[in-house]
Amino acid sequence: MAQSAVAPAPADEPAGVSVLDARHRRLTAGVLLSVTVVAFNAMGVVTILPVVARDLGGLAAYGWAVSAFMLASIAGTVVAGVMADRRGLVGPYMAGLALFAAGSVLAAAAGAWIVLLAARALQGAGNGLLVAVAYVAIARGYAGALHARMLALLSSAWIVPSIVGPALAGLIADTLTWRLAFLALLPVLAVAAALATSGVRRVPAARGGQGADSAATLRAALVLVAATALFLAALDQADDAPAPAALVAVAAAAVALLPLRRLLPRGTLRGRRGLPAAVAARGLLAAAFLGVEAFVPLGLTTLRGLSAAHAGVAMTAGSLSWSAGAFAAARLDERDAAARRGRRLRASMLLLAAGIALAAVGILDDGIPVTVAAAGWCVAGGGIGGSYATVAAAAFARTDAGAEGRVSAALQLAETLAVSVTAGALGALVGAGITGGRPSVTTLAVTFAAGASAAVVAASLAVRATAGPT
């Protein structure tokens, strides 16, 4: 894919425009409000998942609460990318809101773990649509000079959910019922639908007829989702039938590679310079932080004996430092016109690895103050904040005009697939190590080590992600 600007500014776009000027105000508000909805769900649900799993008997299949959400997000993301390139953003945006709301209601009513997982899948499909719409809107609705600022603002949409979400969800779960935490988002969804539609309607469809073959792309996404789900299910059965489970897992992985090559930019799996390396780095970053995030409150509540509300403090620290890191990275990008972006990315990714390691020490060693865990997750948040949005900006800078939807979908696909596989595989490991209703220290140690290792590998791709294609 040739290097070019993501979305050239319209011909009548004046110099010195802002993301909050009259032309962009509604779109900015709509994008940020939509991501705020997603953020409240993410922060609240992750914090109370241990409580939900214990109540519904799902602790042994804990990772599926994340994997079901993320696998469904893949289909939603691909559908949104195709629709955005061909017909605009209103359709996928409204569909995302509807699916997210339906999943929230079903989760609140769930009487069994399998029903909760179905609800998480509905939420995930809505999440995939909403987040993909947000990225396409940024890529196509703003001049290139505003991309980094909007991506930083996208991270800022996590600030209020980070402060309120974990503590509020934990408090509701501890004092009332966790079911209310799912329903609390419904009024916000209604406001989002009322305010954001006019903004996304103004974003044009792709120019130049570069929309993907929707039917073939959707088939590839569904095959990928099914094969990945089969792979994770095989891992869950590894203890009971190791040989058959291994055969099924290998076969499923081989099947998944075929559609994955179609849906990601060519060379992504090899980390080729430019856009492919940026997409690969995005997946590794997501695996490192988001793939292990759900295991932080699990460790804090089961190994260190914290309440859900107190475990939420660590989640809050990580998300707030994420926003701070994103703003700092955007400011430095503006200051030097992204000339040192690759070096900053590498430093941020290594900081993420160090933070995960420190958090693991604070969770796994009961002789160390538990505040060390919160401090470590705060450091990890700064690392992901300094690299997550910056990798997306690097990818947008190397995207052909008219292909913004496909590249936005590829970024989200890399993220959601990495998180679903990481959470599912590590969840199977943790589930196998559960004795007496709590995970073993060893399996959680492997979980955090895997996250730190993914961040280190991402750091090795940092410079390649910001370089031109070979």
Side-chain angles (χ1 to χ4, degrees), residues 64-459:
W64 275 102
V66 177
S67 295
F69 182 94
M70 290 296 177
L71 287 173
S73 290
I74 293 173
T77 296
V78 173
V79 169
V82 170
M83 293 178 69
D85 280 347
R86 286 177 170 255
R87 299 175 184 174
L89 301 183
V90 175
Y93 179 74
M94 297 306 295
L97 289 175
L99 288 171
F100 200 93
S104 298
V105 172
L106 183 60
W113 187 245
I114 189 64
V115 177
L116 189 282
L117 296 183
R120 291 289 288 162
L122 284 175
Q123 284 189 316
N127 174 84
L129 286 158
L130 291 174
V131 174
V133 164
Y135 276 98
V136 175
I138 291 172
R140 194 176 294 157
Y142 299 84
L146 298 179
H147 288 163
R149 177 58 61 187
M150 268 305 297
L151 288 167
L153 284 174
L154 212 61
S155 293
S156 77
W158 289 74
I159 292 178
V160 172
S162 297
I163 296 172
V164 178
L168 181 59
L171 184 63
I172 291 172
D174 289 339
T175 61
L176 298 172
T177 171
W178 54 263
R179 300 178 188 278
L180 291 178
F182 287 97
L183 296 177
L185 288 169
L186 295 183
V188 182
L189 288 176
V191 174
L195 296 181
T197 305
S198 61
V200 297
R201 183 174 285 119
R202 296 182 60 183
V203 178
R207 289 167 289 178
Q210 296 188 34
D213 181 342
S214 57
T217 300
L218 184 57
R219 283 196 300 270
L222 294 177
V223 170
L224 177 61
V225 169
T228 304
L230 183 60
F231 172 79
L232 295 176
L235 295 184
D236 275 340
Q237 300 301 314
D239 276 352
D240 298 331
L247 289 175
V248 172
V250 170
V255 171
L257 282 176
L258 298 176
L260 189 61
R261 291 179 181 277
R262 173 188 176 87
L263 296 170
L264 295 178
R266 182 176 299 177
T268 297
L269 300 182
R270 301 192 309 272
R272 196 177 71 187
R273 287 164 58 93
L275 175 63
V279 174
R282 173 65 169 264
L284 288 165
L285 284 172
F289 189 87
L290 301 175
V292 303
E293 182 181 40
F295 299 95
V296 173
L298 179 65
L300 289 173
T301 56
T302 58
L303 298 185
R304 300 307 300 265
L306 298 187
S307 67
H310 288 147
V313 173
M315 312 305 291
T316 296
S319 292
L320 289 177
S321 60
W322 180 327
S323 295
F327 272 107
R331 180 66 61 87
L332 291 172
D333 263 11
E334 291 172 357
R335 182 176 300 175
D336 65 8
R340 296 181 179 85
R341 178 180 281 172
R343 295 178 182 178
R344 285 195 293 270
L345 272 175
R346 183 166 53 194
S348 295
M349 293 167 177
L350 293 176
L351 184 66
L352 169 59
I356 294 172
L358 183 61
V361 171
I363 291 172
L364 302 176
D365 189 342
D366 57 11
I368 292 178
V370 73
T371 52
V372 171
W377 203 243
C378 183
V379 172
I384 188 72
S387 50
Y388 182 88
T390 309
V391 162
F396 286 162
R398 288 154 181 81
T399 301
D400 293 327
E404 301 90 356
R406 282 182 290 166
V407 172
S408 297
L411 286 168
Q412 289 306 113
L413 172 61
E415 174 180 326
T416 53
L417 183 64
V419 174
S420 63
V421 171
T422 301
L426 295 177
L429 176 67
V430 170
I434 286 179
T435 58
R438 55 185 280 171
S440 72
V441 171
T442 300
T443 55
L444 280 179
V446 172
T447 295
F448 293 120
S453 298
V456 171
V457 176

